[in-house]
Amino acid sequence: MISNKKDQAAGLRELTALEPNAGVRIFAVVGGRTGVGKTSSVINLAVSLAKTGKRVLILDENPRHKDVNANLGLNARYDLLHVINQDKTLEQVMTQGPEDVLVLTAMRGIHSLAKLSSADQERLIQCFSDLSQTVDVVLIDTAIGRTSRVVPLSLASQQVLIVLSGSDKAITDAYALIKLISQEYARRDFLVLVNKVESERRARDIFENIAGVAQKHLAVKLEWTGYIPFDEKLHRSTRLCQPVVEIFPTSASAAGYRQLAEKLMRCAGPWTDNDGVENFMRRLIRTSHLDTADFTV
């Protein structure tokens, strides 16, 4: 009998084979507050996708002490700002995580985009053009708090994945973020992952509640992408600086991340054959002046 894990992996490989010209898929992963498990979700989603043959880049906006590299026990000596300053090439500043997932530390670089000259903007866009030939999926781990560029990152991405946990504060803050992006910047669709809950029923109740309120008061559509049950294996893998899908692949949380990967590859979106990483960077530069200082947790 074939296991569910093998079934899911085979299904994703079939999707990869059927969509050779789907273009680069770009997801901004956001959370309304700290502690919802956003970075852990980015890491495990990236590795789950990579295990099915997808070539994944994580663009990381978090400060170094709690970024993706730190969570994986990796040391990134350089970042995107070194590329902008022409001190290093893009290839030289990226680190390589599990399953060959690429990680680009980008906080300082993203925060400097609004100050670039036109010539520097075009040069940076050109640096990213080659990535469109070597990357299938970009996951953007957005920071949380006053200094985050969550709005421009969300607007420049094709899809926005909201990660929230079951606490009242997390739900309230996620709704506030959705409200900000939708009412001030006209984004009308969001994906939702419910994290750290005890059951699917609880996760569904949380999703249906926030989706109903958002549709009624904000006229936006939220799409269910699944839930991640909290288990001891997930907590242990975090302490060990390794993805749970790598070291505890039979755990309930690992299964949740594999299902999330499959859902994201199947979800409808503004996918176009010619949309590449350089076009994302062009959009990000264009929206980098937007101020999100009015959203704090």
Side-chain angles (χ1 to χ4, degrees):
M1 183 175 180
I2 300 175
S3 68
N4 288 338
K5 176 185 173 184
K6 290 181 179 178
D7 284 342
Q8 291 159 6
L12 277 169
R13 281 193 293 270
E14 289 175 6
L15 284 176
T16 302
L18 289 171
E19 300 176 356
N21 298 314
V24 181
R25 296 191 172 188
I26 302 170
F27 300 87
V29 184
V30 309
R33 66 186 295 110
T34 59
V36 297
K38 175 181 56 62
T39 295
S40 176
S41 294
V42 168
I43 291 170
N44 282 285
L45 172 59
V47 174
S48 296
L49 289 167
K51 283 181 176 293
T52 67
K54 294 292 185 183
R55 300 165 298 178
V56 184
L57 167 68
I58 298 175
L59 186 68
D60 191 354
E61 193 210 359
N62 292 289
R64 282 183 180 271
H65 67 283
K66 56 182 179 180
D67 64 3
V68 170
N69 281 301
N71 276 266
L72 288 173
L74 302 174
N75 181 30
R77 296 180 59 192
Y78 308 109
D79 62 14
L80 180 60
L81 188 61
H82 289 95
V83 179
I84 291 172
N85 292 337
Q86 303 186 53
D87 297 324
K88 297 292 178 180
T89 67
L90 191 57
E91 291 73 17
Q92 289 174 323
V93 304
M94 291 189 292
T95 56
Q96 192 171 68
E99 296 291 324
D100 296 328
V101 170
L102 297 175
V103 182
L104 174 58
T105 301
M107 184 188 74
R108 296 194 308 160
I110 289 172
H111 289 201
S112 70
L113 293 180
K115 301 176 183 178
L116 297 183
S117 67
S118 297
D120 286 338
Q121 290 176 10
E122 287 304 316
R123 189 186 61 79
L124 183 62
I125 291 168
Q126 187 58 41
C127 287
F128 279 86
S129 63
D130 291 340
L131 275 180
S132 297
Q133 306 303 317
T134 58
V135 170
D136 301 308
V137 180
V138 178
L139 301 178
I140 304 159
D141 190 10
T142 62
I144 292 174
R146 180 174 292 274
T147 62
S148 175
R149 296 296 186 267
V150 64
V151 166
L153 286 166
S154 297
L155 297 179
S157 301
Q158 298 161 335
Q159 294 274 32
V160 177
L161 174 63
I162 304 282
V163 180
L164 62 134
S165 66
S167 74
D168 291 341
K169 286 282 190 180
I171 296 168
T172 299
D173 290 333
Y175 181 82
L177 182 55
I178 293 168
K179 181 178 180 179
L180 169 67
I181 299 174
S182 63
Q183 290 194 338
E184 298 299 326
Y185 304 103
R187 180 122 206 170
R188 290 289 173 253
D189 56 292
F190 300 85
L191 308 173
V192 175
L193 172 69
V194 183
N195 195 24
K196 296 184 177 182
V197 289
E198 64 275 13
S199 67
E200 182 173 1
R201 172 173 290 185
R202 170 63 175 152
R204 288 279 187 179
D205 287 344
I206 291 169
F207 170 76
E208 289 170 6
N209 179 50
I210 192 172
V213 174
Q215 183 174 11
K216 179 179 180 180
H217 296 287
L218 305 178
V220 301
K221 176 186 177 183
L222 305 188
E223 181 177 348
W224 165 268
T225 63
Y227 81 106
I228 307 299
F230 183 83
D231 58 28
E232 177 56 30
K233 294 295 192 297
L234 179 60
H235 181 56
R236 190 180 305 173
S237 69
T238 301
R239 294 203 310 264
L240 294 172
C241 294
Q242 296 189 59
V244 71
V245 296
E246 281 272 275
I247 59 173
F248 300 117
T250 61
S251 64
S253 53
Y257 284 119
R258 289 192 295 270
Q259 292 166 6
L260 172 63
E262 182 173 359
K263 173 65 176 179
L264 290 191
M265 290 300 97
R266 291 185 182 275
C267 71
W271 319 125
T272 58
D273 292 354
N274 61 354
D275 196 8
V277 188
E278 72 277 12
N279 292 330
F280 159 76
M281 185 54 63
R282 185 174 285 109
R283 293 191 295 269
L284 181 57
I285 290 171
R286 190 169 64 242
T287 59
S288 61
H289 65 283
L290 296 176
D291 181 17
T292 60
D294 53 343
F295 179 76
T296 58
V297 296

